[in-house]
Amino acid sequence: MSFLSRIGFIETEEQEQSRLAQAPEGSLNHYLSTLPVTIDEWPKDLLVELPWRQPRSDQAYRVVVVPIEFRKDALPESVEEEPLPRKRHAGSWMCAVVFSTHPSYPASGFRIDVPAAEIARGRKIDLAEPAA
């Protein structure tokens, strides 16, 4: 647990998992609540395979992206300062799709927005290692 989580500045992994699990069953956030965080580092420019397995969809797909630009979640107009604890993985990444077996997400640089919580639960791909 990080120092910022211990002092209550950022939500813990358990708090994030609980928050995501409150989303309706069948939603992306509810699905993400069932997965562990696998990428703790800043993901910009990494190759990340998104978690796209059942029950998220009826078929397993492989979608590999490169996070390019981070976009922080906007605060509601009625809130001047972000409430504590701050959300872990709050925001989204504009990503380039570099490989995909999903018919809606063509490779070769197609751009998609991916929640930061989904990127954090993806699989980092290291080109120096053989493919799994």
Side-chain angles (χ1 to χ4, degrees):
M1 178 185 295
S2 75
F3 171 74
L4 294 174
S5 292
R6 281 196 309 269
I7 64 170
F9 188 74
I10 296 176
E11 66 186 359
T12 64
E13 287 187 40
E14 294 79 18
Q15 288 171 321
E16 179 188 40
Q17 185 177 23
S18 175
R19 177 177 50 81
L20 293 172
Q22 292 175 15
E25 199 165 325
S27 68
L28 176 60
N29 279 343
H30 193 273
Y31 169 68
L32 293 176
S33 75
T34 66
L35 303 175
V37 171
T38 55
I39 299 175
D40 286 326
E41 63 193 289
W42 189 247
K44 184 175 181 177
D45 299 330
L46 296 178
L47 284 172
V48 178
E49 181 176 353
L50 300 178
W52 211 304
R53 297 174 291 279
Q54 294 177 337
R56 180 176 180 173
S57 63
D58 57 345
Q59 262 185 280
Y61 293 104
R62 282 195 74 201
V63 179
V64 178
V65 300
V66 174
I68 298 170
E69 181 183 339
F70 181 72
R71 297 177 182 150
K72 186 177 179 181
D73 285 341
L75 292 175
E77 289 182 18
S78 61
V79 177
E80 290 184 24
E81 192 172 310
E82 188 173 359
L84 295 179
R86 290 186 171 173
K87 293 179 183 176
R88 293 170 57 94
H89 310 115
S92 62
W93 284 91
M94 190 260 297
C95 299
V97 178
V98 295
F99 177 84
S100 175
T101 61
H102 194 291
S104 297
Y105 302 103
S108 71
F110 184 77
R111 300 291 202 258
I112 60 173
D113 284 321
V114 180
E118 184 175 2
I119 295 285
R121 287 161 174 82
R123 183 175 70 90
K124 179 180 169 185
I125 296 178
D126 186 352
L127 294 178
E129 297 176 9

